[in-house]
Amino acid sequence: MAKHTHWRDSKAWLDAGLPLSSTSNEACKLYDAALTQYVGWYDEPSVGGLEVTLGKLEKTDESFIMGRVISNGLELLGTGTNIDLSSDLKIGIDEMVRIATVSDISQREQQHVTAIKLFSEGYQKKACETWERILVEHPTDMLALKFAHDSYFYLGESNQIRDSIARVMPYWQNTMPLSSYLHGMYAFGLEETNLYAQAEQEARLGLELNPNDSWATHSMAHVLEMNGRSIEGIQFMSSTESNWNICGMIACHNYWHWALYCIENADYQKALEIYDHQVQQRTLDSSAPLDMVDAASLLYRLEMEGVSVGKERWQKIFDVTKPHLDDHTLVFNDIHYLMAALGANQNDIVNRFKESTTDFIKKKKGDQRNIMNEVGVVMFEAFQAYDDGDFSKAVETMLPVKYQVINIGGSHAQRDVFNQFLIQAALKSDQKQHHKISKMFVNRAEIIKRVHTTYRSTYSPSDGSSCGLTTSYDHIWG
């Protein structure tokens, strides 16, 4: 990746129709540097990386409101903490609001402050609505676009992941900074709404414009996954590895996709190799929630395939997730933390985790609280029943919320672990009716395969499940 050395100053932002309320040219440039690294999922060495950039930004102009917005927003969207857990974050957001109150800032900047405040209080959907209002008047505001894009992902809002980008694309010109990244973002939305051919076209265009666009790589990986093109997926990830593995913020997740292809080809040894050398190591190094959930998901999928991953691997991931068991920033995260606790046989921790979840529902407000109450606690009960060997209870508990699982967020590919979980539980149940249920789920995949010639075709079920299974169940049904 070529070193980026030219950043937009105050006049450049004004000329772009996105004036910044700062008297410091250096602050405006650092804001551009932070935004560029966020969108590109990488650390720019010429400015010391994203974390260093944000630190310099605050010191350069402490009253620069958009510097406060991007810093607080990234802390929140990282999902590693919240204002109840971090006094520094709460103070930072309160100070942002105070500065906005006493400063002469634009309506657009004030709306950004409002959105971050709403998000911090648990109202992610309202924050998205605020960012969308910004985009109506300022469709080239990349920060509003990217914050909304990531938040829709957390909420499982597939249509909005796609449409939020589609609505603004006509206003972007190819000469505008960061414009090439829109193709990878749009590709992801298209893929999540089952428009695979269009998604592939957009992802490839994004990569033609910028081979280092790791989100476009990620979108392409999803297309190949959902189309059942695992051999092609392995070839794609391996041949482009040097382009995307330098984007440290998402490299672990792209390796996760590579490992999925290996699992689908029953190459469990290669999947474990990728896990050990990339996914696990990057998770231990970063302690980032996105990496933690990928690690837990891979181990759980391998175990369901009959692969014994060993207690040491589970223990290492549990040790990383343990400090976050009371965070409850995302239900999606919590379910994966539960996997890690179960995998490491931490039964006492699991019980305390469930108590913490109950407390979270009683005392908090907001979108994640509601999702946990409606879907999360049911999934917790199902996973614990499965771990206890009560597979019948796991099926009966999970089945009623099967089509609500999408509400916990994540992608179709990520949530497929829950479809596989339900099938496995049904197969292991002592009730013959459950065996029939599992066969019906696989029958659906077989019908799709027959009609569209591939397991993952141009159609995808509305529950976000993939259309193929790596394990043969013929010995169960005869």
Side-chain angles (χ1 to χ4, degrees), residues 64-84:
F64 179 28
I65 199 65
M66 289 306 294
R68 299 275 181 169
V69 165
I70 192 170
S71 181
N72 290 325
L74 289 175
E75 188 77 10
L76 289 167
L77 270 78
T79 73
T81 190
N82 57 42
I83 58 174
D84 294 323

Side-chain angles (χ1 to χ4, degrees), residues 39-102:
V39 175
W41 295 84
Y42 78 108
D43 287 300
E44 171 57 50
S46 66
V47 288
L50 180 55
E51 186 174 349
V52 171
T53 302
L54 293 171
K56 291 179 180 177
L57 179 54
E58 182 175 353
K59 291 179 181 178
T60 301
D61 184 354
E62 294 184 355
S63 63
F64 179 28
I65 199 65
M66 289 306 294
R68 299 275 181 169
V69 165
I70 192 170
S71 181
N72 290 325
L74 289 175
E75 188 77 10
L76 289 167
L77 270 78
T79 73
T81 190
N82 57 42
I83 58 174
D84 294 323
L85 300 168
S86 171
S87 58
D88 288 342
L89 178 58
K90 186 178 188 308
I91 291 170
I93 289 177
D94 289 344
E95 180 65 6
M96 175 190 68
V97 173
R98 186 196 68 78
I99 292 171
T101 303
V102 300

Side-chain angles (χ1 to χ4, degrees), residues 35 39 140-147 172 178 181-182 185:
L35 178 61
V39 175
T140 60
D141 187 330
M142 177 56 88
L143 188 64
L145 189 62
K146 188 69 165 65
F147 275 166
W172 283 76
L178 307 179
Y181 287 106
L182 265 68
M185 295 166 69

Side-chain angles (χ1 to χ4, degrees), residues 275 294-303 309 313-314 317:
Y275 177 84
D294 283 343
S297 175
L298 268 185
L299 291 183
Y300 206 90
R301 290 167 191 251
L302 284 163
E303 291 274 7
V309 302
R313 289 189 177 97
W314 276 121
I317 295 307

Side-chain angles (χ1 to χ4, degrees), residues 78 108 186 206 247 308 343 389 435 445 474:
R108 177 180 68 88
Y186 188 39
C247 299
S308 178
H435 298 173
D474 292 343

Side-chain angles (χ1 to χ4, degrees), residues 195-226:
L195 299 170
Y196 301 133
Q198 298 95 315
E200 181 170 348
Q201 182 179 3
E202 288 291 330
R204 291 192 183 280
L205 177 55
L207 290 171
E208 286 176 10
L209 294 169
N210 179 7
N212 297 125
D213 184 348
S214 57
W215 192 251
T217 296
H218 160 263
S219 299
M220 187 65 190
H222 273 274
V223 170
L224 298 175
E225 169 71 19
M226 300 307 290

Side-chain angles (χ1 to χ4, degrees), residues 2-23:
K3 185 177 291 187
H4 194 145
T5 57
H6 180 72
W7 308 105
R8 285 174 282 181
D9 61 12
S10 179
K11 185 177 185 305
W13 284 108
L14 179 63
D15 292 344
L18 300 166
L20 298 175
S21 299
S22 174
T23 58

Side-chain angles (χ1 to χ4, degrees), residues 253-269:
H253 186 64
N254 280 342
Y255 278 112
W256 176 85
H257 277 282
W258 190 344
L260 282 194
Y261 300 136
C262 296
I263 292 174
E264 288 165 8
N265 283 290
D267 189 351
Y268 305 126
Q269 188 58 43

